[in-house]
Amino acid sequence: MEKIFVTQPTLAPLEEYTELLKGVWSSGIMTHNGPLVRRFEKEFCEYEKVDRMVAVVNGTVAIQMAIRALQLKGEIITTPFSFIATTSAILYEGCTPVFADIDPETFNLDPAKIEAAITPRTVAIMPVHVFGNPCDIDAIDAIAQKHHLKVIYDAAHAVGSTYDGRALLSYGDVAATSFHATKMLNTAEGGGCVARDEEVDRRLRMIRFFGYNEAKEPEIDGTNGKMTEVHAALGIANLKYLDAALADRRRKYAVYREILAARGDLRFQKLNGECNCSYFPVVFPTEEQLLKAESALLRENIVPRRYFSPSLNTYTAIVKPAPMPGSESLASRILCLPLYFGLPEETVVKIAEIVGSAGRM
Ligand code: T4K
C-alpha cells in the first residue's frame, strides 16, 4: 500500500515547465535577477494584487532579510506556536525573540499577550498567520502604532489567503512568505518579501544581491538571497494552478470538517478571514487521544504531522525558558491531516473516518 503523506507539492504539467526552461537553455541566463525571476515577481503581484515582491531563495532567508531591511536591533515579540524558522531567523539576525502566548482558538498570537510582553528594548512584532489563518491584524496594527514598533508577518503559509478583501501578504511593514515544495505555491525552494514601503523594497533588493546598489557598490550589509531562473520558471508554471489548488483544498477541508464534527470532542481552528485551507489541523482533548489517532492512521500507511510540536519556547538550547501554557497545550494535542491537490476525496473520507473512530473515550 502506498504511503499517504501530509502533503504533496502542487505541480504544473511537466511540459509547461520545460517549455519555460527552453528560454533558459538558449540564453544561458541562470540567475542574477533574470527575466523569469522578474516575470515571476510581476505575475505573483498581479495575482495577489500587491505592489511589489522580492523573490528570494527560501522563506527563512526572506524573514532574515526583512529584519535586516527594517534595520532592527533588539527584542522581537513572536509566537511560540510556529515552525523553528520563525525564531531561528530572529536569532540569526542578532535579535532576541520574546514569546507571547497564543489565542487557543485561532492558534495565532494573542494581541493582549503581545502588549504585555513589550519592554523598552522591543523593536518589532513578528506574528505568524498560522496555517494561512489571518492574525488579528487590526489589533496588532493598533499596538504597533501605539508603541512605534515594526510588524513583520511570517506569512510562510499565507499565499492565497485574504483579510478584509485584501491579500494577507499586503499587511505589515514586510510580509515574508515561503515557496517551499510543501506550500500553497511552490518553486521547490523559494521565498518572497512583500514590503509596504518602496524604500524597504529597495533595501531588500540590495540585501538579496550582496548589498550592492544600482551602481554595483555595496551600500548595505547584504547576502546572497537570489532566486534562480529555474526556480522562478517553476513558480510561473505553478501559479496558473493556484486557483484550482485553492478551490480543491477548500472543498476537502469542508469534507474533513463535516465528518470530524460528528465525533463531538474535536476542535478546529477558528478562521479569521478567508483562509487558504492549506493545512487541516485537528485538536484532540488529550495528547493520549492524539497518539491513538496517529497510530491508527500510521497502521493504514497514512502519515499525518504534528505541526507544530513541541512549542518553540521549549527549545531552551536556543531560547530563554519562558512558560507558554496556551501554545504548549495546543502543541501537544494538534495533528495535521493529509491535505493536498490530487488527494482523492474518498481518501479524505477514509482518513476522517479513521480519526473519527480512533481512541474515543
Ligand atoms: N515560517 C513558517 C511558519 C514555516 O512553516 C516555514 C516552513 C518557514 C517559516 C520557513 O520557510 P522555508 O525556509 O522552509 O521556505 C516542512 C518544510 O520544510 C517547511 O518549509 C515548512 N515551513 C514546515 C512547516 O514543513 P518538514 O520537516 O515537515 O518537511 P518534510 O520534508 O517532512 O515534508 C513534509 C511532507 O511533504 C513529506 O512527508 C512529503 C512531502 N514532501 C516534502 C518535500 C520536501 C514532498 O512531497 N516533496 C518534497 O520535496 O518541514
Side-chain angles (χ1 to χ4, degrees):
M1 207 179 355
E2 282 227 338
K3 276 196 172 160
I4 294 164
F5 294 103
V6 70
T7 194
Q8 267 188 20
T10 305
L11 291 170
L14 184 59
E15 315 76 71
E16 294 181 22
Y17 179 53
T18 52
E19 195 54 40
L20 285 159
L21 291 182
K22 285 181 184 163
V24 179
W25 257 243
S26 63
S27 71
I29 304 289
M30 307 297 291
T31 184
H32 284 196
N33 202 17
L36 292 181
V37 167
R38 292 197 301 265
R39 178 170 157 196
F40 176 55
E41 290 179 344
K42 181 169 169 285
E43 291 183 3
F44 181 84
C45 289
E46 284 163 5
Y47 183 91
E48 289 278 1
K49 299 190 182 64
V50 291
D51 293 334
R52 48 189 79 86
M53 187 274 276
V54 181
V56 299
V57 275
N58 60 56
T60 307
V61 166
I63 301 171
Q64 292 166 3
M65 288 176 48
I67 295 170
R68 193 164 287 213
L70 293 169
Q71 299 166 311
L72 302 175
K73 288 275 169 264
E75 293 177 355
I76 300 181
I77 297 173
T78 188
T79 174
F81 188 70
S82 185
F83 188 58
I84 180 80
T86 312
T87 285
S88 63
I90 294 173
L91 289 164
Y92 202 81
E93 286 303 313
C95 293
T96 307
V98 173
F99 294 118
D101 212 345
I102 56 160
D103 172 342
E105 302 287 318
T106 64
F107 312 165
N108 290 331
L109 264 179
D110 176 346
K113 304 276 168 47
I114 296 176
E115 194 138 33
I118 293 173
T119 74
R121 294 174 299 283
T122 308
V123 289
I125 308 168
M126 192 190 293
V128 178
H129 301 297
V130 174
F131 305 137
N133 187 29
C135 288
D136 191 344
I137 289 174
D138 301 330
I140 291 170
D141 267 1
I143 295 168
Q145 279 187 18
K146 182 171 155 199
H147 297 273
H148 309 289
L149 303 174
K150 299 288 182 195
V151 181
I152 297 173
Y153 281 106
D154 175 339
H157 303 174
V159 170
S161 291
T162 59
Y163 178 80
D164 213 7
R166 264 170 54 193
L168 203 43
L169 288 168
S170 67
Y171 294 92
D173 291 284
V174 179
T177 196
S178 165
F179 303 124
H180 182 261
T182 56
K183 297 298 187 297
M184 218 45 244
L185 172 67
N186 89 85
T187 59
E189 287 278 359
C193 290
V194 177
R196 176 182 303 164
D197 254 41
E198 263 180 66
E199 178 50 26
V200 175
D201 181 77
R202 181 175 169 265
R203 280 207 290 272
L204 284 164
R205 287 175 198 280
M206 287 193 286
I207 293 167
R208 176 175 67 173
F209 199 56
F210 312 108
Y212 284 143
N213 61 18
E214 295 77 1
K216 248 198 162 181
E217 283 159 2
E219 184 176 318
I220 193 167
D221 187 13
T223 183
N224 179 355
K226 290 173 270 115
M227 179 179 273
T228 75
E229 292 290 280
V230 172
H231 291 86
L234 192 52
I236 293 166
N238 287 342
L239 191 55
K240 289 214 184 87
Y241 294 87
L242 182 52
D243 272 340
L246 280 165
D248 181 77
R249 296 224 196 188
R250 286 183 172 135
R251 211 166 32 245
K252 285 170 188 157
Y253 189 102
V255 172
Y256 266 136
R257 268 298 293 260
E258 196 184 320
I259 299 174
L260 289 170
R263 185 174 141 153
D265 63 345
L266 302 175
R267 278 205 308 109
F268 308 100
Q269 188 175 28
K270 183 178 163 201
L271 301 183
N272 181 37
E274 280 285 296
C275 184
N276 56 17
C277 299
S278 46
Y279 294 79
F280 192 84
V282 54
V283 183
F284 292 82
T286 63
E287 184 169 25
E288 194 191 347
Q289 288 188 45
L290 176 151
L291 293 172
K292 282 184 184 158
E294 186 182 37
S295 306
L297 290 170
L298 291 172
R299 277 197 296 278
E300 297 289 325
N301 265 335
I302 297 160
V303 190
R305 286 298 286 269
R306 297 187 66 177
Y307 297 132
F308 297 104
S309 179
S311 182
L312 295 178
N313 58 300
T314 64
Y315 285 135
T316 50
I318 59 167
V319 295
K320 281 203 206 111
M324 290 287 136
S327 176
E328 287 168 46
S329 167
L330 181 67
S332 69
R333 296 180 293 116
I334 190 166
L335 191 65
C336 285
L337 304 180
L339 183 60
Y340 53 86
F341 198 42
L343 177 68
E345 205 158 305
E346 58 268 25
T347 310
V348 173
V349 172
K350 177 181 163 185
I351 295 170
E353 285 173 354
I354 294 171
V355 174
S357 58
R360 282 194 63 183
M361 297 288 186

